[in-house]
């Protein structure tokens, strides 16, 4: 799959579970929906309803989600 910015989009092994940490707790999903955004996943799957739905303008940073190793 080609991207306008870097040429190739990353390919993921859909046979592996998606594993990540939220608030220090391990989350594992064996069948994540590739169309689901992180915001929707946090709000609907993990019931973290305090996760802010942003304005999509990105100027203030109030709806920033920290992603790290």
């Amino acid at each position: 799959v080609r991207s306008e910015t870097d040429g190739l989009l990353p390919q993921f092994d859909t046979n592996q579970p998606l594993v990540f940490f939220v608030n220090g707790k391990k989350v594992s999903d064996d069948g994540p929906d590739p169309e689901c955004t992180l915001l929707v996943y946090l709000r609907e799957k993990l019931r973290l309803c305090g996760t802010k739905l942003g304005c999509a303008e990105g100027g203030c940073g109030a709806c920033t989600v920290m992603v790290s190793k």
Side-chain angles (χ1 to χ4, degrees):
V1 178
R2 294 239 173 244
S3 165
E4 292 180 15
T5 56
D6 62 6
L8 294 175
L9 295 175
Q11 298 296 307
F12 299 98
D13 182 355
T14 56
N15 295 320
Q16 296 294 319
L18 175 65
V19 178
F20 58 100
F21 290 82
V22 176
N23 297 333
K25 295 182 181 177
K26 184 177 179 179
V27 177
S28 180
D29 190 332
D30 291 329
D33 178 358
E35 299 294 319
C36 183
T37 65
L38 179 58
L39 174 71
V40 170
Y41 194 93
L42 292 174
R43 291 173 64 96
E44 294 181 9
K45 297 266 187 167
L46 301 182
R47 302 287 184 215
L48 296 175
C49 298
T51 306
K52 183 178 184 238
L53 174 58
C55 63
E57 291 187 20
C60 71
C63 52
T64 301
V65 174
M66 297 297 294
V67 178
S68 65
K69 288 185 178 182

